[in-house]
Amino acid sequence: RSDIVRQLAAAASTVGGKPIEDDALLDEVTALVERPHVLACQFEAEFLAVPQECLILTMKANQKYFPLLDAQGRLTHRFLVVSNIRPDDASAIVQGNERVVRPRLADAKFFFDQDRKRTLESRLPLLDKVVYHGKLGSQGQRVQRVCRIARAIGLQIGGEALAAQAERASRLAKADLVTDMVGEFPELQGVMGGYYARHDGETEAVAFAVEDHYKPRFAGDALPRNDAGVAAALADKLETLVGLFGAGEKPTGDKDPFALRRHALGVIRMLVERDLPLSIPALLASAASAFEPAPSADDVMGFMYDRLVGYLRDLDYSAQEVDAVVSVRPPRWAELPRRLAAVRAFAALPESAALAAANKRIGNILKKSDGAGGAAVDVARLVEPAERALAGALTNVKPLADSLFDNGEYTASLRELAVLRAPVDAFFDGVMVNAEDAALRANRLALLATLHAAMNRVADLSRLAS
């Protein structure tokens, strides 16, 4: 393998190019040859009028060639062949490979030229004849659902203009499935849709969205390049998740034939990494409403939260930090990095351990109180100095902490609450919560409930207790 890599680099430098990086292709070629000998070949420059993705794919998939790129990453008319023999005169091998690749590239050019004779819009009726899923209808029906979802998302992200772009892109996004090029090379779906959309006179925003609506396709893949693409991609993935869960196609431990885990991770990445002001419950409800009858999205929600935990752990947050934040079920996942950063900063404070333990204790007390403590605190019934001190401290701190929380300043909000450590400790040292007097007991539970709610807006701090 290393010998082939060295020869590829040497041959590329002699003709002024860079071999395309493809570990899978390199491994396959390494397994096919015993005495590798790299040769430089070329094809007619006129074929470069075809999208380079088509030419690269046909050379790699069909011929196991290494296309060469220029300094800007554009395909050149040269390619490298790894021969299994080392003849004194390699011209016959070079000419033979050039002769073999020519009809392959000609086929790609023919498909491209033929496809452009019809618009993507004109191909939409053909999607009604393509089965998507036995319980979910055709691709045409699916397109209608995705358009509805994409429009709703676009309205939330950028208003009517973006909603129109997202809806238009979603309408055209699957049309390339019935083109000759994608029929020959399914790997190019989406990519060819972008080229054909531009040829049809669609805007660049719509063309990019058509091309990007499958993204991210795998771990580490790029996100869609514009907001219309994000809306279309979210709609496509949410429709897939809600629809297939509703059709009973839930992933199992060892099977996920529809790649629903990948779709869920794509939704998570777009919401978090693009900092989108979207609520995941609202998104799933919108996706479910596109179906008739609307399926339940409850299982999808649980599935998404499971994937979310794994995603956040991969960002190097601890299990405790992730558990503390995810357990409060924040609806807007764009906030998660700020919440996690706030929890990490709070855990570093000297007051954190005592407050986390107290918070856990309060939670246990409230659970055993059978729903008591929901009423407002009656200041007149605060008889012990420690409970009056706690109520006063909470009255002083809570408005600012709530204001900071509402402004998304989660670290500052938790820092304000840290000053409650002393009055909380004093309360538990000097006050009997479960007093014999029912009114007194209910008032103290109400005070603890108010404190508990204030402390757990950013995250469930009891999850940080050891």
Side-chain angles (χ1 to χ4, degrees):
R1 192 177 192 270
S2 59
D3 186 26
I4 293 176
V5 171
R6 178 183 57 78
Q7 290 192 49
L8 287 172
S13 66
T14 62
V15 294
K18 178 184 178 182
I20 195 164
E21 295 181 3
D22 190 322
D23 285 339
L25 176 61
L26 187 58
D27 289 340
E28 185 175 5
V29 170
T30 300
L32 291 173
V33 297
E34 294 181 0
R35 297 176 296 278
H37 182 49
V38 176
L39 301 170
C41 307
Q42 63 182 9
F43 56 83
E44 289 79 357
E46 66 186 64
F47 288 121
L48 293 176
V50 179
Q52 70 176 37
E53 293 90 347
C54 307
L55 305 182
I56 290 172
L57 185 58
T58 192
M59 283 191 282
K60 290 192 331 182
N62 293 322
Q63 303 303 134
K64 315 306 176 190
Y65 295 158
F66 289 86
L68 290 179
L69 308 176
D70 63 17
Q72 286 72 44
R74 296 178 302 225
L75 182 67
T76 70
H77 69 293
R78 296 181 180 274
F79 61 94
L80 302 179
V81 175
V82 182
S83 172
N84 198 34
I85 58 176
R86 293 172 174 268
D88 293 334
D89 183 4
S91 59
I93 298 177
V94 171
Q95 293 169 9
N97 281 281
E98 291 176 347
R99 184 171 63 252
V100 167
V101 79
R102 192 171 295 112
R104 295 287 190 182
L105 302 183
D107 285 346
K109 185 176 186 303
F110 174 78
F111 294 145
F112 185 57
D113 291 340
Q114 289 298 112
D115 285 343
R116 288 183 297 169
K117 292 179 180 179
R118 294 185 60 182
T119 64
L120 291 175
E121 181 81 34
S122 71
R123 296 178 184 274
L124 293 178
L126 297 176
L127 293 177
D128 293 329
K129 301 177 182 179
V130 179
V131 176
Y132 169 53
H133 187 279
K135 295 181 180 180
L136 301 175
S138 67
Q139 281 285 2
Q141 292 171 303
R142 181 175 184 236
V143 165
Q144 294 177 17
R145 295 192 294 265
V146 174
C147 284
R148 287 180 56 186
I149 302 168
R151 178 171 181 78
I153 294 172
L155 282 172
Q156 294 182 69
I157 296 177
E160 178 59 37
L162 181 61
Q165 290 178 349
E167 184 177 14
R168 179 62 178 169
S170 298
R171 177 174 171 79
L172 301 176
K174 303 300 181 184
D176 67 352
L177 295 176
V178 290
T179 62
D180 292 338
M181 186 70 83
V182 173
E184 180 70 15
F185 300 111
E187 302 93 331
L188 295 177
Q189 55 190 283
V191 173
M192 297 313 303
Y195 280 107
Y196 297 146
R198 290 184 184 87
H199 181 265
D200 295 346
E202 302 291 340
T203 64
E204 276 295 297
V206 169
F208 275 132
V210 170
E211 182 178 346
D212 290 352
H213 83 280
Y214 288 108
K215 294 180 179 179
R217 295 158 296 183
F218 50 84
D221 190 20
L223 300 182
R225 288 165 284 184
N226 60 22
D227 287 342
V230 168
L234 278 173
D236 186 73
K237 289 172 171 55
L238 289 168
E239 193 277 344
T240 300
L241 287 162
V242 172
L244 290 173
F245 262 77
E249 301 287 1
K250 302 176 185 178
T252 60
D254 59 343
K255 293 182 180 179
D256 186 11
F258 296 97
L260 297 184
R261 293 185 179 91
R262 188 185 68 203
H263 282 81
L265 182 58
V267 172
I268 292 167
R269 284 192 58 201
M270 283 185 279
L271 292 176
V272 174
E273 295 172 26
R274 290 295 296 266
D275 196 18
L276 297 178
L278 300 173
S279 162
I280 189 66
L283 285 175
L284 291 175
S286 176
S289 69
F291 293 83
E292 295 182 4
S296 170
D298 292 344
D299 287 346
V300 184
M301 181 72 77
F303 179 74
M304 293 289 293
Y305 270 107
D306 288 342
R307 303 280 77 71
L308 177 65
V309 169
Y311 170 78
L312 295 175
R313 289 298 308 278
D314 288 342
L315 296 182
D316 292 331
Y317 292 104
S318 71
Q320 271 190 324
E321 291 166 343
V322 172
D323 185 36
V325 170
V326 173
S327 63
V328 300
R329 289 292 193 263
R332 294 191 175 187
W333 290 357
E335 303 172 350
L336 292 172
R338 296 195 299 276
R339 287 178 182 253
L340 286 162
V343 168
R344 180 168 289 181
F346 174 80
L349 297 175
E351 301 89 351
S352 65
L355 280 174
N359 193 54
K360 186 174 183 178
R361 182 177 179 181
I362 293 169
N364 291 333
I365 292 173
L366 294 175
K367 286 178 184 177
K368 295 176 181 178
S369 66
D370 297 325
V377 178
D378 184 353
V379 178
R381 292 186 182 277
L382 299 173
V383 296
E384 297 289 344
E387 61 182 331
R388 290 199 299 270
L390 176 58
L394 187 57
T395 299
N396 292 333
V397 169
K398 189 173 182 298
L400 179 56
D402 286 347
S403 176
L404 291 168
F405 176 89
D406 293 338
N407 290 329
E409 299 178 52
Y410 302 128
T411 300
S413 180
L414 289 181
R415 190 180 299 116
E416 287 297 320
L417 293 171
V419 303
L420 295 173
R421 176 191 173 176
V424 167
D425 288 347
F427 177 88
F428 281 115
D429 287 341
V431 177
M432 173 68 71
V433 176
N434 291 318
E436 293 184 6
D437 186 303
L440 202 59
R441 181 171 64 249
N443 198 51
R444 289 170 180 173
L445 288 172
L447 176 60
L448 291 181
T450 303
L451 173 63
H452 194 257
M455 292 178 64
N456 290 316
R457 294 193 72 187
V458 175
D460 183 353
L461 299 182
S462 67
R463 307 298 176 106
L464 302 179
S466 57

